[in-house]
Amino acid sequence: FFFAVAMDDKYDAIVLGTGLTECVLSGLLSVSGLKVLHVDRNSYYGGECASLNMEQLFEKFGKGAPDPSLGKTHLWNVDLCPKLLMANGILVKILRNTVAARYNMEFMLIEGSFVLRDGKIHKVPVTEKEALSSGLMGMFEKRRAAKFLSWVQDYEPSDPKTHKGVNLMSVPMRDVFKQFGLEPGTVNFLGHAAALQHNDDYLDQPAHATLLKLKLYAESVNMYGSSPYVYPMYGLGDIPQAFARLCAVYGGTYMLHKPVDKILWEDGKFAGIQSGDEVARAPLVVGDPSYFMLEPGKLKKAAQVVRAICLLDHPIPNLPDGAKSAQIIIPQSELKRRSDMYVICTSFVHKVCPDGWYIALVSTTVETGDPESELLPGLRLLGSIREKFVQVSDVYEPAGSGAGDKAYISKGMDASTHFEGCGEDILDLYRRIMGKEYDVNVPCASE
Protein backbone atom coordinates (compact mmCIF):
# COMPACT_ATOMS: atom_id res chain seq x y z
CA PHE A 1 0.00 0.00 0.00
CA PHE A 2 2.78 2.44 0.93
CA PHE A 3 5.88 1.29 -0.85
CA ALA A 4 7.07 0.20 -4.29
CA VAL A 5 9.76 -2.42 -4.92
CA ALA A 6 11.35 -0.36 -7.71
CA MET A 7 11.10 3.36 -8.37
CA ASP A 8 11.76 3.39 -12.13
CA ASP A 9 8.90 5.44 -13.49
CA LYS A 10 7.75 8.92 -14.41
CA TYR A 11 6.00 11.09 -11.84
CA ASP A 12 4.48 14.54 -11.63
CA ALA A 13 6.54 15.38 -8.54
CA ILE A 14 9.31 13.80 -6.49
CA VAL A 15 9.57 14.68 -2.79
CA LEU A 16 12.87 14.15 -0.93
CA GLY A 17 12.77 13.73 2.85
CA THR A 18 9.91 13.02 5.23
CA GLY A 19 10.18 16.12 7.37
CA LEU A 20 6.95 17.85 8.30
CA THR A 21 7.00 20.34 5.41
CA GLU A 22 7.76 17.64 2.85
CA CYS A 23 5.07 15.25 4.13
CA VAL A 24 2.39 17.94 4.25
CA LEU A 25 3.24 19.00 0.70
CA SER A 26 3.31 15.43 -0.65
CA GLY A 27 -0.17 14.94 0.81
CA LEU A 28 -1.51 18.22 -0.58
CA LEU A 29 0.02 17.61 -4.03
CA SER A 30 -1.45 14.10 -4.19
CA VAL A 31 -4.89 15.40 -3.19
CA SER A 32 -4.51 17.98 -5.99
CA GLY A 33 -4.12 15.13 -8.50
CA LEU A 34 -0.33 14.87 -8.90
CA LYS A 35 1.40 11.50 -9.12
CA VAL A 36 3.97 11.71 -6.33
CA LEU A 37 7.08 9.69 -5.46
CA HIS A 38 8.23 10.32 -1.89
CA VAL A 39 11.73 9.15 -0.91
CA ASP A 40 13.71 9.27 2.34
CA ARG A 41 17.26 8.06 2.97
CA ASN A 42 16.28 7.21 6.56
CA SER A 43 14.30 4.18 7.73
CA TYR A 44 11.96 6.40 9.77
CA TYR A 45 9.67 9.38 9.17
CA GLY A 46 10.18 12.92 10.35
CA GLY A 47 13.61 14.08 9.23
CA GLU A 48 14.88 16.64 11.72
CA CYS A 49 11.42 16.58 13.36
CA ALA A 50 11.58 12.84 14.09
CA SER A 51 10.31 11.40 17.38
CA LEU A 52 12.62 8.91 19.09
CA ASN A 53 12.19 6.44 21.93
CA MET A 54 14.68 6.51 24.78
CA GLU A 55 17.09 3.94 23.33
CA GLN A 56 17.10 5.71 19.96
CA LEU A 57 17.69 9.07 21.66
CA PHE A 58 20.68 7.84 23.66
CA GLU A 59 22.09 6.12 20.58
CA LYS A 60 21.75 9.25 18.44
CA PHE A 61 23.68 11.36 20.93
CA GLY A 62 26.27 8.64 21.64
CA LYS A 63 25.40 8.33 25.32
CA GLY A 64 25.31 4.52 25.62
CA ALA A 65 22.38 2.77 27.25
CA PRO A 66 19.70 4.78 29.10
CA ASP A 67 19.47 4.49 32.88
CA PRO A 68 16.73 2.01 33.90
CA SER A 69 15.28 4.69 36.21
CA LEU A 70 14.02 6.51 33.11
CA GLY A 71 11.39 3.83 32.67
CA LYS A 72 10.36 1.77 29.67
CA THR A 73 11.95 3.03 26.48
CA HIS A 74 8.79 2.70 24.36
CA LEU A 75 6.90 5.11 26.65
CA TRP A 76 9.13 7.95 25.48
CA ASN A 77 8.41 9.87 22.27
CA VAL A 78 11.07 12.58 22.28
CA ASP A 79 10.81 15.09 19.45
CA LEU A 80 14.22 16.19 18.18
CA CYS A 81 12.83 19.55 17.11
CA PRO A 82 9.67 20.09 19.17
CA LYS A 83 7.41 22.92 18.11
CA LEU A 84 3.93 23.89 19.26
CA LEU A 85 0.91 24.44 17.05
CA MET A 86 -1.11 27.64 17.22
CA ALA A 87 -4.72 26.60 17.85
CA ASN A 88 -6.02 28.76 14.99
CA GLY A 89 -2.81 28.72 12.97
CA ILE A 90 -2.00 27.62 9.44
CA LEU A 91 -0.84 24.10 10.25
CA VAL A 92 -3.82 23.29 12.47
CA LYS A 93 -6.18 24.48 9.73
CA ILE A 94 -4.44 22.24 7.21
CA LEU A 95 -4.57 19.31 9.64
CA ARG A 96 -8.23 19.90 10.38
CA ASN A 97 -9.13 19.89 6.69
CA THR A 98 -7.05 16.87 5.69
CA VAL A 99 -5.89 14.27 8.22
CA ALA A 100 -6.94 15.10 11.80
CA ALA A 101 -10.39 13.46 11.75
CA ARG A 102 -9.48 10.91 9.07
CA TYR A 103 -6.74 9.39 11.23
CA ASN A 104 -8.16 10.17 14.69
CA MET A 105 -5.38 12.56 15.65
CA GLU A 106 -5.71 14.01 19.14
CA PHE A 107 -4.26 17.22 20.52
CA MET A 108 -3.83 18.53 24.04
CA LEU A 109 -3.70 22.14 25.15
CA ILE A 110 -0.37 23.53 26.33
CA GLU A 111 -1.33 25.02 29.68
CA GLY A 112 0.43 28.36 29.53
CA SER A 113 2.16 30.92 27.33
CA PHE A 114 4.67 32.96 29.29
CA VAL A 115 7.35 35.61 28.90
CA LEU A 116 10.41 36.30 31.08
CA ARG A 117 10.65 39.90 32.25
CA ASP A 118 13.23 41.14 34.77
CA GLY A 119 13.97 37.53 35.71
CA LYS A 120 10.34 36.66 36.52
CA ILE A 121 7.92 34.51 34.50
CA HIS A 122 4.65 36.21 33.51
CA LYS A 123 1.60 35.06 31.56
CA VAL A 124 1.41 36.77 28.16
CA PRO A 125 -1.68 39.04 28.16
CA VAL A 126 -3.39 39.32 24.77
CA THR A 127 -6.94 40.29 25.63
CA GLU A 128 -8.29 43.46 27.16
CA LYS A 129 -9.24 41.56 30.33
CA GLU A 130 -5.80 39.92 30.66
CA ALA A 131 -4.03 43.23 30.15
CA LEU A 132 -5.96 44.84 33.00
CA SER A 133 -4.92 42.07 35.41
CA SER A 134 -1.33 41.56 34.23
CA GLY A 135 1.64 42.01 36.53
CA LEU A 136 3.75 43.13 33.57
CA MET A 137 2.43 46.71 33.60
CA GLY A 138 1.52 49.56 35.88
CA MET A 139 -2.06 50.80 36.21
CA PHE A 140 -2.01 53.44 33.45
CA GLU A 141 -0.05 51.23 31.06
CA LYS A 142 -2.59 48.45 31.57
CA ARG A 143 -5.32 50.75 30.28
CA ARG A 144 -3.27 51.77 27.25
CA ALA A 145 -2.44 48.12 26.49
CA ALA A 146 -6.08 47.08 26.94
CA LYS A 147 -7.15 49.79 24.48
CA PHE A 148 -4.52 48.64 21.97
CA LEU A 149 -5.47 44.95 22.27
CA SER A 150 -9.14 45.75 21.91
CA TRP A 151 -8.35 47.56 18.66
CA VAL A 152 -6.19 44.66 17.41
CA GLN A 153 -9.04 42.20 17.90
CA ASP A 154 -11.37 44.48 15.90
CA TYR A 155 -8.81 45.07 13.13
CA GLU A 156 -9.96 43.88 9.70
CA PRO A 157 -7.62 44.48 6.74
CA SER A 158 -10.55 44.89 4.35
CA ASP A 159 -12.39 47.44 6.54
CA PRO A 160 -10.71 50.89 6.55
CA LYS A 161 -12.91 51.93 9.49
CA THR A 162 -10.76 49.69 11.69
CA HIS A 163 -7.44 51.20 10.55
CA LYS A 164 -7.52 54.35 12.71
CA GLY A 165 -6.98 56.50 9.62
CA VAL A 166 -3.53 55.01 9.02
CA ASN A 167 -2.17 53.13 6.00
CA LEU A 168 -1.08 50.03 7.88
CA MET A 169 0.45 48.53 4.74
CA SER A 170 3.18 51.18 4.87
CA VAL A 171 3.30 52.72 8.36
CA PRO A 172 5.90 50.89 10.50
CA MET A 173 4.81 48.99 13.61
CA ARG A 174 6.97 51.26 15.75
CA ASP A 175 4.71 54.22 14.87
CA VAL A 176 1.54 52.27 15.71
CA PHE A 177 2.87 51.43 19.17
CA LYS A 178 3.76 55.11 19.64
CA GLN A 179 0.25 56.14 18.61
CA PHE A 180 -1.10 54.15 21.57
CA GLY A 181 1.62 55.47 23.90
CA LEU A 182 2.89 51.99 24.82
CA GLU A 183 6.05 51.69 26.90
CA PRO A 184 9.14 49.81 25.60
CA GLY A 185 8.55 46.91 27.99
CA THR A 186 5.00 46.45 26.72
CA VAL A 187 6.13 46.67 23.11
CA ASN A 188 8.75 44.05 23.91
CA PHE A 189 6.43 41.34 25.20
CA LEU A 190 3.72 42.05 22.63
CA GLY A 191 6.17 41.88 19.73
CA HIS A 192 8.12 38.83 20.86
CA ALA A 193 5.81 36.73 23.04
CA ALA A 194 2.48 37.42 21.30
CA ALA A 195 3.33 38.39 17.69
CA LEU A 196 6.22 35.87 17.93
CA GLN A 197 8.72 38.07 16.12
CA HIS A 198 12.29 36.72 16.36
CA ASN A 199 14.00 40.10 16.68
CA ASP A 200 13.21 43.83 16.53
CA ASP A 201 13.45 44.23 12.75
CA TYR A 202 9.64 44.12 12.56
CA LEU A 203 9.38 47.52 14.29
CA ASP A 204 10.54 49.25 11.11
CA GLN A 205 8.42 47.10 8.79
CA PRO A 206 4.76 47.72 7.78
CA ALA A 207 2.43 47.20 10.74
CA HIS A 208 -0.12 45.06 8.90
CA ALA A 209 1.83 41.77 9.22
CA THR A 210 2.47 42.16 12.96
CA LEU A 211 -1.15 43.12 13.63
CA LEU A 212 -2.29 39.91 11.92
CA LYS A 213 0.13 37.90 14.08
CA LEU A 214 -1.23 39.54 17.25
CA LYS A 215 -4.77 38.91 16.07
CA LEU A 216 -3.99 35.23 15.37
CA TYR A 217 -2.50 34.83 18.85
CA ALA A 218 -5.60 36.32 20.48
CA GLU A 219 -7.95 34.20 18.33
CA SER A 220 -6.01 31.06 19.28
CA VAL A 221 -6.22 31.91 22.99
CA ASN A 222 -9.95 32.52 22.68
CA MET A 223 -10.52 29.07 21.17
CA TYR A 224 -9.69 27.28 24.44
CA GLY A 225 -9.48 30.07 26.98
CA SER A 226 -6.03 29.81 28.54
CA SER A 227 -3.31 29.22 25.95
CA PRO A 228 -2.93 29.59 22.18
CA TYR A 229 -0.92 26.38 21.78
CA VAL A 230 -1.79 22.72 21.28
CA TYR A 231 0.44 19.66 20.94
CA PRO A 232 -0.32 16.24 19.42
CA MET A 233 -0.75 13.30 21.74
CA TYR A 234 2.30 11.01 21.46
CA GLY A 235 4.40 13.83 19.95
CA LEU A 236 4.95 15.27 16.50
CA GLY A 237 5.87 11.98 14.81
CA ASP A 238 2.28 11.17 13.90
CA ILE A 239 1.84 14.31 11.77
CA PRO A 240 4.31 13.42 8.97
CA GLN A 241 3.01 9.84 8.97
CA ALA A 242 -0.60 11.02 8.69
CA PHE A 243 0.22 13.06 5.59
CA ALA A 244 2.23 10.13 4.21
CA ARG A 245 -0.90 7.99 4.53
CA LEU A 246 -2.94 10.75 2.86
CA CYS A 247 -0.49 10.85 -0.04
CA ALA A 248 -0.61 7.05 -0.41
CA VAL A 249 -4.43 7.01 -0.36
CA TYR A 250 -4.38 9.40 -3.32
CA GLY A 251 -1.90 7.24 -5.26
CA GLY A 252 1.47 8.38 -3.93
CA THR A 253 4.45 5.99 -3.80
CA TYR A 254 6.65 5.89 -0.68
CA MET A 255 10.19 4.60 -0.26
CA LEU A 256 11.96 4.76 3.09
CA HIS A 257 15.62 3.76 3.53
CA LYS A 258 16.19 4.78 -0.10
CA PRO A 259 19.39 6.78 -0.68
CA VAL A 260 19.46 9.46 -3.34
CA ASP A 261 22.81 8.98 -5.05
CA LYS A 262 22.39 11.68 -7.65
CA ILE A 263 20.00 14.47 -8.56
CA LEU A 264 19.59 14.71 -12.34
CA TRP A 265 19.43 18.04 -14.18
CA GLU A 266 18.75 18.79 -17.83
CA ASP A 267 19.32 22.29 -19.25
CA GLY A 268 19.48 23.66 -15.70
CA LYS A 269 16.14 22.16 -14.66
CA PHE A 270 15.36 19.24 -12.39
CA ALA A 271 14.85 16.02 -14.35
CA GLY A 272 14.92 13.17 -11.80
CA ILE A 273 16.85 11.22 -9.19
CA GLN A 274 19.08 8.18 -9.26
CA SER A 275 19.38 5.54 -6.52
CA GLY A 276 21.76 2.73 -7.45
CA ASP A 277 20.77 1.62 -10.94
CA GLU A 278 17.23 2.99 -10.64
CA VAL A 279 16.09 6.31 -12.06
CA ALA A 280 12.84 8.17 -11.37
CA ARG A 281 11.89 11.19 -13.45
CA ALA A 282 9.62 14.16 -12.80
CA PRO A 283 9.34 17.80 -13.90
CA LEU A 284 9.76 19.11 -10.34
CA VAL A 285 11.22 18.20 -6.97
CA VAL A 286 10.34 19.21 -3.41
CA GLY A 287 12.93 18.53 -0.74
CA ASP A 288 14.59 19.51 2.49
CA PRO A 289 17.97 21.28 2.25
CA SER A 290 19.99 18.19 3.25
CA TYR A 291 19.36 16.65 -0.19
CA PHE A 292 20.86 19.64 -2.01
CA MET A 293 24.07 20.19 -0.03
CA LEU A 294 26.27 19.11 -2.96
CA GLU A 295 24.28 20.98 -5.59
CA PRO A 296 26.04 24.30 -6.42
CA GLY A 297 24.07 27.47 -5.87
CA LYS A 298 20.93 25.85 -4.47
CA LEU A 299 21.28 26.77 -0.77
CA LYS A 300 22.30 29.62 1.49
CA LYS A 301 23.10 29.31 5.17
CA ALA A 302 20.57 31.34 7.17
CA ALA A 303 21.65 30.71 10.76
CA GLN A 304 22.90 28.20 13.27
CA VAL A 305 20.63 26.89 16.03
CA VAL A 306 21.48 25.28 19.36
CA ARG A 307 18.91 23.09 21.11
CA ALA A 308 19.03 21.31 24.47
CA ILE A 309 16.51 18.53 25.06
CA CYS A 310 16.17 18.06 28.81
CA LEU A 311 14.47 15.24 30.72
CA LEU A 312 12.95 16.37 34.02
CA ASP A 313 11.29 14.49 36.87
CA HIS A 314 9.39 17.63 37.93
CA PRO A 315 7.51 20.48 36.25
CA ILE A 316 9.33 23.73 35.50
CA PRO A 317 9.45 25.63 38.82
CA ASN A 318 7.81 29.04 39.33
CA LEU A 319 5.31 28.79 36.49
CA PRO A 320 2.10 30.72 37.23
CA ASP A 321 -0.81 28.50 38.30
CA GLY A 322 1.52 25.49 38.57
CA ALA A 323 1.35 24.79 34.83
CA LYS A 324 2.71 21.39 33.81
CA SER A 325 3.25 22.37 30.16
CA ALA A 326 4.27 25.72 28.78
CA GLN A 327 6.09 27.91 26.34
CA ILE A 328 8.35 30.60 27.81
CA ILE A 329 9.83 33.24 25.51
CA ILE A 330 12.88 35.16 26.71
CA PRO A 331 13.02 38.30 24.55
CA GLN A 332 16.37 39.40 23.16
CA SER A 333 16.39 42.56 25.25
CA GLU A 334 16.07 40.52 28.46
CA LEU A 335 19.37 38.83 27.61
CA LYS A 336 21.10 41.65 25.70
CA ARG A 337 21.14 39.42 22.63
CA ARG A 338 20.14 39.81 18.99
CA SER A 339 17.82 36.79 19.07
CA ASP A 340 15.10 35.52 21.40
CA MET A 341 15.43 32.33 23.45
CA TYR A 342 12.66 29.75 23.66
CA VAL A 343 11.70 27.23 26.33
CA ILE A 344 8.92 24.67 25.99
CA CYS A 345 7.82 21.85 28.24
CA THR A 346 5.53 18.90 27.52
CA SER A 347 4.77 16.04 29.87
CA PHE A 348 3.25 12.65 30.55
CA VAL A 349 -0.14 14.32 29.99
CA HIS A 350 0.75 14.45 26.26
CA LYS A 351 1.80 10.76 26.31
CA VAL A 352 5.36 11.62 25.31
CA CYS A 353 6.97 10.19 28.46
CA PRO A 354 6.17 7.94 31.44
CA ASP A 355 4.02 9.19 34.32
CA GLY A 356 5.73 11.86 36.41
CA TRP A 357 8.22 12.86 33.69
CA TYR A 358 8.58 16.04 31.63
CA ILE A 359 10.47 16.92 28.44
CA ALA A 360 11.81 20.45 28.14
CA LEU A 361 13.57 22.13 25.25
CA VAL A 362 15.69 25.27 25.29
CA SER A 363 16.68 26.74 21.92
CA THR A 364 18.12 29.87 20.39
CA THR A 365 20.02 31.16 17.38
CA VAL A 366 23.78 30.84 17.89
CA GLU A 367 25.58 34.16 18.33
CA THR A 368 28.94 33.16 19.86
CA GLY A 369 31.61 30.48 19.59
CA ASP A 370 30.21 28.66 22.64
CA PRO A 371 26.62 27.74 21.70
CA GLU A 372 25.77 25.59 24.72
CA SER A 373 26.67 28.36 27.18
CA GLU A 374 24.25 30.66 25.37
CA LEU A 375 21.41 28.44 26.61
CA LEU A 376 22.22 28.93 30.30
CA PRO A 377 19.50 31.57 30.95
CA GLY A 378 16.87 29.14 29.69
CA LEU A 379 18.38 26.07 31.36
CA ARG A 380 18.39 27.84 34.74
CA LEU A 381 14.60 28.11 34.56
CA LEU A 382 14.23 24.32 34.46
CA GLY A 383 15.55 23.41 37.89
CA SER A 384 17.35 20.06 38.23
CA ILE A 385 17.88 18.19 34.94
CA ARG A 386 18.11 14.39 34.83
CA GLU A 387 19.45 14.11 31.28
CA LYS A 388 20.48 16.69 28.69
CA PHE A 389 21.07 16.28 24.95
CA VAL A 390 22.60 19.25 23.10
CA GLN A 391 22.68 19.65 19.35
CA VAL A 392 23.98 22.48 17.16
CA SER A 393 22.48 22.59 13.66
CA ASP A 394 23.06 24.74 10.60
CA VAL A 395 19.86 26.18 9.15
CA TYR A 396 19.71 26.46 5.37
CA GLU A 397 17.26 28.18 3.04
CA PRO A 398 16.79 27.90 -0.71
CA ALA A 399 18.86 30.32 -2.77
CA GLY A 400 16.14 30.54 -5.43
CA SER A 401 12.37 30.30 -5.79
CA GLY A 402 12.31 27.14 -7.92
CA ALA A 403 10.74 29.00 -10.84
CA GLY A 404 13.74 28.40 -13.07
CA ASP A 405 15.20 25.05 -11.99
CA LYS A 406 11.96 23.48 -10.67
CA ALA A 407 13.67 22.62 -7.35
CA TYR A 408 11.37 23.69 -4.53
CA ILE A 409 13.46 23.52 -1.36
CA SER A 410 12.00 23.97 2.10
CA LYS A 411 13.50 26.14 4.81
CA GLY A 412 15.36 24.48 7.67
CA MET A 413 13.86 24.52 11.17
CA ASP A 414 14.66 27.75 13.02
CA ALA A 415 15.10 28.21 16.76
CA SER A 416 11.46 29.09 17.45
CA THR A 417 9.23 26.62 19.26
CA HIS A 418 6.09 27.13 17.18
CA PHE A 419 5.10 26.06 13.66
CA GLU A 420 3.82 29.35 12.19
CA GLY A 421 6.97 29.92 10.13
CA CYS A 422 6.80 26.33 8.88
CA GLY A 423 3.12 26.78 7.96
CA GLU A 424 3.93 29.92 5.98
CA ASP A 425 6.70 28.03 4.14
CA ILE A 426 4.26 25.22 3.23
CA LEU A 427 1.72 27.66 1.77
CA ASP A 428 4.45 29.58 -0.09
CA LEU A 429 5.88 26.37 -1.61
CA TYR A 430 2.41 25.17 -2.62
CA ARG A 431 1.69 28.49 -4.34
CA ARG A 432 4.98 28.41 -6.24
CA ILE A 433 4.49 24.78 -7.32
CA MET A 434 0.79 24.87 -8.21
CA GLY A 435 0.50 28.49 -9.33
CA LYS A 436 -2.41 29.15 -6.99
CA GLU A 437 -3.09 29.66 -3.29
CA TYR A 438 -3.97 26.72 -1.04
CA ASP A 439 -7.23 27.49 0.73
CA VAL A 440 -6.76 26.38 4.35
CA ASN A 441 -10.50 26.71 4.98
CA VAL A 442 -11.66 24.15 2.38
CA PRO A 443 -11.64 20.46 3.45
CA CYS A 444 -10.13 18.03 0.95
CA ALA A 445 -12.56 15.71 -0.80
CA SER A 446 -12.95 12.10 0.36
CA GLU A 447 -10.97 9.58 -1.64
Side-chain angles (χ1 to χ4, degrees):
F1 178 63
F2 271 89
F3 308 100
V5 176
M7 72 177 193
D8 291 284
D9 203 349
K10 290 184 178 180
Y11 301 87
D12 296 320
I14 293 174
V15 180
L16 305 179
T18 55
L20 184 80
T21 300
E22 289 69 39
C23 283
V24 173
L25 281 167
S26 74
L28 297 184
L29 295 179
S30 288
V31 169
S32 297
L34 274 63
K35 181 182 178 183
V36 175
L37 171 66
H38 201 152
V39 174
D40 196 313
R41 66 171 76 89
N42 297 312
S43 58
Y44 54 84
Y45 289 93
E48 61 181 327
C49 288
S51 297
L52 305 182
N53 65 33
M54 192 50 58
E55 287 182 358
Q56 292 169 328
L57 183 68
F58 270 70
E59 180 181 352
K60 178 175 176 60
F61 285 89
K63 298 189 72 167
D67 192 294
S69 67
L70 294 171
K72 296 179 179 179
T73 187
H74 72 276
L75 295 177
W76 291 88
N77 291 297
V78 182
D79 294 317
L80 294 179
C81 184
K83 289 178 180 279
L84 308 178
L85 291 86
M86 194 80 79
N88 200 38
I90 295 168
L91 191 54
V92 167
K93 287 180 177 178
I94 296 174
L95 285 164
R96 190 182 299 134
N97 292 331
T98 51
V99 297
R102 187 186 299 249
Y103 301 120
N104 298 315
M105 299 183 71
E106 296 182 76
F107 296 83
M108 287 282 292
L109 191 68
I110 294 294
E111 290 182 44
S113 175
F114 306 104
V115 62
L116 192 73
R117 170 94 167 266
D118 298 329
K120 187 177 179 182
I121 300 172
H122 298 267
K123 188 178 189 301
V124 179
V126 289
T127 65
E128 186 177 0
K129 182 179 179 181
E130 288 179 340
L132 291 171
S133 62
S134 174
L136 282 165
M137 301 167 285
M139 182 175 64
F140 295 111
E141 182 68 358
K142 286 180 181 180
R143 292 177 182 171
R144 289 188 288 267
K147 185 179 178 182
F148 171 75
L149 291 169
S150 176
W151 172 66
V152 168
Q153 289 191 299
D154 291 337
Y155 171 62
E156 291 294 341
S158 60
D159 183 2
K161 294 178 182 177
T162 66
H163 298 183
K164 294 190 75 65
V166 174
N167 183 357
L168 297 168
M169 294 292 186
S170 60
V171 170
M173 193 65 210
R174 186 187 304 276
D175 291 357
V176 174
F177 283 136
K178 282 182 181 177
Q179 187 173 350
F180 282 86
L182 297 179
E183 297 173 356
T186 305
V187 169
N188 201 32
F189 76 73
L190 285 174
H192 292 264
L196 303 178
Q197 302 285 9
H198 303 295
N199 53 47
D200 280 344
D201 292 351
Y202 80 96
L203 288 170
D204 297 310
Q205 297 167 356
H208 169 73
T210 297
L211 292 175
L212 289 185
K213 290 176 181 289
L214 288 167
K215 190 176 176 71
L216 169 63
Y217 190 101
E219 289 169 349
S220 296
V221 169
N222 290 336
M223 287 184 74
Y224 299 108
S226 60
S227 164
Y229 300 114
V230 294
Y231 200 72
M233 297 286 280
Y234 303 100
L236 297 173
D238 279 353
I239 297 180
Q241 292 190 53
F243 279 99
R245 290 195 290 271
L246 181 70
C247 178
V249 163
Y250 281 85
T253 299
Y254 266 79
M255 290 185 173
L256 294 182
H257 210 210
K258 191 74 169 177
V260 177
D261 297 323
K262 189 176 182 180
I263 296 179
L264 307 177
W265 308 90
E266 293 177 1
D267 299 325
K269 293 185 178 182
F270 175 79
I273 60 170
Q274 182 173 339
S275 179
D277 296 329
E278 296 177 286
V279 172
R281 294 187 174 275
L284 67 91
V285 64
V286 178
D288 77 56
S290 69
Y291 286 86
F292 299 88
M293 299 296 287
L294 300 179
E295 305 297 322
K298 300 302 179 187
L299 300 174
K300 57 183 180 182
K301 184 176 176 181
Q304 194 174 53
V305 172
V306 56
R307 296 182 178 91
I309 298 169
C310 302
L311 310 184
L312 313 177
D313 55 11
H314 57 83
I316 294 178
N318 304 314
L319 288 181
D321 304 319
K324 291 183 171 58
S325 58
Q327 171 167 259
I328 307 169
I329 290 180
I330 310 176
Q332 57 178 56
S333 60
E334 182 78 11
L335 303 172
K336 306 296 187 286
R337 290 171 49 86
R338 296 189 301 276
S339 308
D340 293 350
M341 189 172 298
Y342 303 87
V343 180
I344 62 170
C345 183
T346 54
S347 75
F348 59 94
V349 174
H350 302 93
K351 304 294 184 185
V352 293
C353 51
D355 285 352
W357 286 90
Y358 301 78
I359 303 174
L361 175 97
V362 183
S363 61
T364 194
T365 301
V366 174
E367 297 182 3
T368 72
D370 187 7
E372 186 172 352
S373 69
E374 294 184 50
L375 295 177
L376 285 175
L379 293 170
R380 291 191 191 105
L381 298 177
L382 304 184
S384 60
I385 298 170
R386 283 290 301 271
E387 293 285 350
K388 182 173 66 174
F389 308 86
V390 178
Q391 186 170 25
V392 179
S393 307
D394 292 332
V395 180
Y396 289 93
E397 293 182 351
S401 68
D405 58 12
K406 300 303 176 184
Y408 299 95
I409 304 170
S410 62
K411 295 178 180 179
M413 291 294 177
D414 62 21
S416 70
T417 45
H418 56 81
F419 271 121
E420 282 311 290
C422 180
E424 291 168 1
D425 192 30
I426 290 168
L427 294 186
D428 184 46
L429 283 163
Y430 183 91
R431 177 185 52 77
R432 284 185 270 141
I433 294 166
M434 299 298 291
K436 62 181 181 180
E437 301 291 340
Y438 176 78
D439 191 339
V440 296
N441 297 309
V442 176
C444 71
S446 298
E447 69 275 8

